[in-house]
Structure formats: C-alpha cells, structure tokens
Amino acid sequence: MKLILNITKSYIFYIISALGVSLGIVANIGVSSYNSMNLAVATMSDIKVGTITTFFNIIFLLIYMILTKFNEKYKYLVQGVSVFMFGSFINYFTYNIFSGLSSLGYIQRLLIFSGGTVISGLSIGIIIYYNIITFPLENVCIKISQMTKISFMKLRYLVDVFSLIISVGISMVGDLPIYVREGTIISMFLLSLSINLAKDYAEKNNGVKS
C-alpha cells in the first residue's frame, strides 16, 4: 500500500515538474540545456515540444532497458507511464494554460522562468527522494557510470554539452530562434539548488530512504 502511495505521489510531482518546465518554455528567455535541444527539434519539425520530449525520453528508456538486459520489467512499466504523462502535461500547460504568458514584459517573463525552474527543481528533488520513478536520461547516465566507472556528473555534463551543440546547430541551420540564452544560465544555478533543497528537506523531515 505504501509503495502504491509513493508511486502516486511521484506521478503528481512529475505533473508539477511538467508545469515548471512549461513555465520556463513560455517565458521565452531560453531554457535548460537538455530542453533547448527538445525545443529546437520541436520548432524545426513543427511538432509539440512535449511530444518531442516524450520521444527522446522513450529513446533513453529503451537504451536503459538494453543496458539492464530487460531485467527490470516493473520499473520499465512505471517509468513508461511517467514518460507519456510528462510529455502530455508539458503540451497541455504550454499550448493551453500558459500560452498567453509570452506576451508579458521581460521582467515578468524573467520571474516566470525563475519560478518555473524552482517549481520543476523542487518537484524533481522530491521524485529523487521517493526513488521509485526516475528520469530515463539520468537512469542511463547512472547505469553507464556503474559499467564504466566514469562519474555520473561527467556523463550528465557531456549530455548537456551535446544538447547545447545540437540546439544551437539546429537554430543556425534552420534560421530558428536561439534557445540557449540567459534562461539557460539561470537554470544551471536554480535547478540544481532547488533539487538539492527539496531532497535534503524530505530526507531531514521523513528520514533518508534506502
């Protein structure tokens, strides 16, 4: 029963995280490294950004399944549901609920972006604390780190660098907006800080999960 409750809570925070991501997108001052690639691909292909996010998350989930030799079927199922949920809610919030926010002034959009980044970071921190549903990209980096002894931080950093290169490359070739902007720099500081604050708070008040 407790497992089901924690899965449900994790899904709820996945939705809240999608809300934060959407606020960052509609603020239109740049997005995080990984999201900048998703947004550039979405703009180039004229496909909704949440759908592109789902596509890449499925790819990383499949890679993780291969790396784990398809031995974690329960985890794949739970993760698969969260992947489709995350992308769907990003689309819903971005194109329906928050679509009018991009017309606001710069300072307002800056505050919206910062607030969205904090909301997303806090949600991710709680998701990490429950340690039931994780993000496919992080799963792959963790697994490769275990297999190669390359640190998780280095692998995740390489993914960010690769994402930035792809994002800027697509924007330049396709004559599209540049999504690596001031918001990208802000997210580098606020996102990690928010994740750690939420995780540490949850561990302090509820006990560290094994």
Side-chain angles (χ1 to χ4, degrees), residues 149-193:
K149 305 304 179 182
I150 300 173
S151 72
F152 169 82
M153 184 178 295
K154 287 182 179 179
L155 289 169
R156 191 62 182 82
Y157 177 74
L158 286 174
V159 171
D160 281 340
V161 171
F162 178 78
S163 299
L164 289 174
I165 293 172
I166 293 297
S167 176
V168 174
I170 290 174
S171 294
M172 293 179 66
V173 172
D175 194 24
L176 303 173
I178 299 292
Y179 298 110
V180 181
R181 294 172 51 190
E182 60 269 40
T184 310
I185 298 174
I186 293 172
S187 70
M188 290 173 62
F189 295 96
L190 279 184
L191 189 62
S192 296
L193 177 63

Side-chain angles (χ1 to χ4, degrees), residues 74-143:
Y74 172 76
K75 186 172 184 178
Y76 306 147
L77 176 61
V78 175
Q79 186 69 71
V81 172
S82 68
V83 162
F84 283 101
M85 179 185 295
F86 190 62
S88 297
F89 274 98
I90 286 178
N91 281 341
Y92 177 68
F93 290 129
T94 301
Y95 300 104
N96 294 281
I97 304 300
F98 302 136
S99 58
L101 296 182
S102 58
S103 62
L104 297 176
Y106 179 77
I107 299 300
Q108 292 170 307
R109 290 187 286 117
L110 184 64
L111 292 173
I112 288 171
F113 179 87
S114 299
T117 302
V118 170
I119 289 172
S120 183
L122 293 176
S123 302
I124 293 170
I126 299 299
I127 292 170
I128 292 174
Y129 165 72
Y130 282 123
N131 196 28
I132 295 174
I133 308 172
T134 49
F135 290 84
L137 171 56
E138 277 67 34
N139 272 344
V140 170
C141 289
I142 290 171
K143 189 63 181 177

Side-chain angles (χ1 to χ4, degrees), residues 42-102:
T43 305
M44 178 187 67
S45 61
D46 199 27
I47 299 174
K48 291 182 177 181
V49 64
T51 305
I52 294 298
T53 301
T54 299
F55 172 75
F56 281 119
N57 279 336
I58 289 174
I59 289 177
F60 282 113
L61 179 56
L62 290 173
I63 293 173
Y64 180 74
M65 292 169 68
I66 293 171
L67 292 175
T68 54
K69 301 178 180 179
F70 301 93
N71 289 326
E72 302 177 6
K73 294 180 176 58
Y74 172 76
K75 186 172 184 178
Y76 306 147
L77 176 61
V78 175
Q79 186 69 71
V81 172
S82 68
V83 162
F84 283 101
M85 179 185 295
F86 190 62
S88 297
F89 274 98
I90 286 178
N91 281 341
Y92 177 68
F93 290 129
T94 301
Y95 300 104
N96 294 281
I97 304 300
F98 302 136
S99 58
L101 296 182
S102 58

